[in-house]
Amino acid sequence: MASSSGASSGSTTMLRNSSSEEDLQQVMDLRKRKRMLSNRESARRSRVKKQKHLDDLMGQLGQLSKENNEILKRMNVTSQLYMNIEAENSILRAQMAELSHRLNSLNEIIEYVHFCSGTFERREDAAAPTTGAFGHQLGDDFFMNPWNNADFHLNQPIMDMIMY
């Protein structure tokens, strides 16, 4: 009988061992489920955070695109204004050149009128010597040397002589 009671105590120990193994397995399963739930919740929070970050970036992209378009519009307007001002400056430069040419021509006419009217006094503001309408140098020597005057008129085309 001793052997039978030893067998029964061994089976009780086995029952306890199997029951403690089952308990241990249940505890491990419970921990595993908790860890899985925790991981799922963490993954969900991560997805929510990632989606919020993506939404923020999309909003920022929209705002920056709008600002970029406004800058491009202002740049186009500024470029157009620059082109208009550059064209106006070109016109003004051409007008200035034409007016300078006219002024030089009028000064030469005044000089010629003074020469023809017999006024040989040099103007105080005139720089000596000056160039006449036909490219000859007009100065004291021009008025005093008659040979230069003859050469001056003889070398001019007929149309230029009509102006005299």
Side-chain angles (χ1 to χ4, degrees):
M1 286 232 171
S3 68
S4 101
S5 72
S8 74
S9 76
S11 69
T12 308
T13 308
M14 285 273 242
L15 278 174
R16 284 187 201 159
N17 283 343
S18 73
S19 124
S20 68
E21 284 179 15
E22 287 176 10
D23 288 342
L24 185 60
Q25 186 64 36
Q26 286 177 351
V27 168
M28 288 178 66
D29 287 343
L30 183 63
R31 285 182 183 168
K32 188 176 182 180
R33 274 186 266 142
K34 282 183 180 180
R35 194 168 51 248
M36 280 177 44
L37 288 174
S38 175
N39 286 346
R40 283 182 186 159
E41 182 61 26
S42 177
R44 186 189 68 76
R45 284 192 310 264
S46 180
R47 284 191 303 271
V48 167
K49 185 178 175 182
K50 187 176 181 181
Q51 185 62 45
K52 183 183 179 309
H53 184 66
L54 183 62
D55 291 342
D56 290 345
L57 288 176
M58 292 302 288
Q60 190 177 9
L61 175 67
Q63 180 65 27
L64 290 174
S65 293
K66 184 189 290 186
E67 288 176 18
N68 193 26
N69 287 336
E70 289 174 9
I71 289 170
L72 286 174
K73 286 178 186 176
R74 283 186 283 169
M75 199 168 88
N76 287 337
V77 167
T78 303
S79 294
Q80 188 62 42
L81 287 173
Y82 172 79
M83 296 297 286
N84 291 344
I85 289 172
E86 192 64 34
E88 186 177 340
N89 278 346
S90 294
I91 292 169
L92 290 173
R93 283 186 195 108
Q95 288 174 345
M96 184 182 75
E98 175 63 27
L99 290 174
S100 294
H101 179 70
R102 286 183 184 180
L103 180 63
N104 286 337
S105 295
L106 289 173
N107 284 334
E108 289 176 1
I109 291 171
I110 290 171
E111 192 173 314
Y112 181 74
V113 167
H114 283 269
F115 172 72
C116 290
S117 68
T119 310
F120 294 111
E121 300 96 30
R122 182 177 292 271
R123 296 188 327 257
E124 294 175 18
D125 63 335
T130 60
T131 303
F134 304 109
H136 291 287
Q137 193 170 0
L138 302 177
D140 292 333
D141 190 42
F142 179 80
F143 297 118
M144 300 302 174
N145 190 342
W147 298 110
N148 282 344
N149 292 342
D151 183 48
F152 176 78
H153 291 286
L154 292 175
N155 289 332
Q156 298 305 314
I158 294 174
M159 292 302 293
D160 285 344
M161 290 181 68
I162 292 174
M163 292 178 66
Y164 295 109

